[in-house]
Amino acid sequence: SPRLAPDGRRVAAERIVDGKQDVWLLDGVHATRFTFSTGNNGFPVWSPDGARIAYYAGDGGILNLRMRRTTGTASEESLLSSASAKVPFSWSPDGRYLLYSDYSPETNADLWVMPMTGTPEPSLVVQTRYRETQGTFSPDGRWIAYLSDEAGRAEVYIRPFVAPNAASSEAL
């Protein structure tokens, strides 16, 4: 899952060394390890300004959301920890929301957003008995495209993104 930085100068990617998966930053010449927690780390997602990367951290066998500044000087910050596996997919273009999947035995994979400012209270975006994953914000932040297996195979669905706590007709 390599991801190009917003400025096009670096790539964040998963790399396995000695059986451990971590996020690494590559600049065309150097590869620098970016994550250091004890479990496997992966699926990096750049913030729109390139200052932070969100990723999953697999400490204890559960995938939780973490974030770290790309300067490499700050320690990682826990974004969301719970008993279910979470994988980040997209940051809204304005930097206000992180879109991710949360896996549950009852509803499979569902799409959620977490505010990246103010109170980080996650909000449900799409939940069905099918698997919704690989969510991505449109360049203007008004839409979300995602994969669902509702039709018996993976298909792309598109829906408006309504900001949490906004009126139901108020898309960003």
Side-chain angles (χ1 to χ4, degrees):
S1 58
R3 298 284 182 102
L4 186 63
D7 66 5
R9 294 182 181 181
R10 294 180 288 175
V11 172
E14 298 166 3
R15 183 176 178 194
I16 298 174
V17 175
D18 296 329
K20 177 152 177 340
Q21 176 181 303
D22 277 296
V23 174
W24 288 67
L25 299 182
L26 303 100
D27 65 7
V29 176
H30 301 97
T32 306
R33 186 174 168 190
F34 183 72
T35 58
F36 296 91
S37 59
T38 58
N40 287 328
N41 303 284
F43 226 94
V45 179
W46 292 89
S47 64
D49 63 2
R52 299 168 288 171
I53 295 176
Y55 53 94
Y56 71 69
D59 297 332
I62 299 294
L63 303 180
N64 289 301
L65 298 179
R66 301 258 174 89
M67 179 180 68
R68 188 164 177 229
R69 297 213 168 269
T70 56
T71 59
T73 57
S75 60
E76 67 181 9
E77 175 184 339
S78 177
L79 293 176
L80 183 61
S81 295
S82 68
S84 59
K86 291 155 287 306
V87 176
F89 291 116
S90 183
W91 217 302
S92 64
D94 62 7
R96 292 174 47 199
Y97 299 100
L98 180 67
L99 182 63
Y100 66 96
S101 279
D102 195 327
Y103 297 83
S104 79
E106 297 82 27
T107 60
N108 212 328
D110 305 309
L111 289 177
W112 291 74
V113 290
M114 171 176 283
M116 299 308 290
T117 60
T119 305
E121 186 65 33
S123 296
L124 187 62
V125 175
V126 182
Q127 182 180 53
T128 69
R129 62 187 175 120
Y130 304 101
R131 179 182 167 94
E132 294 88 29
T133 188
Q134 302 289 327
T136 303
F137 281 98
S138 64
D140 64 5
R142 298 177 58 93
W143 299 89
I144 293 175
Y146 61 95
L147 291 179
S148 174
D149 62 1
E150 182 176 344
R153 63 184 180 279
E155 292 184 332
V156 176
Y157 288 73
I158 299 172
R159 69 171 6 174
F161 174 63
V162 178
N165 301 321
S168 61
S169 63
E170 182 187 339
L172 282 182

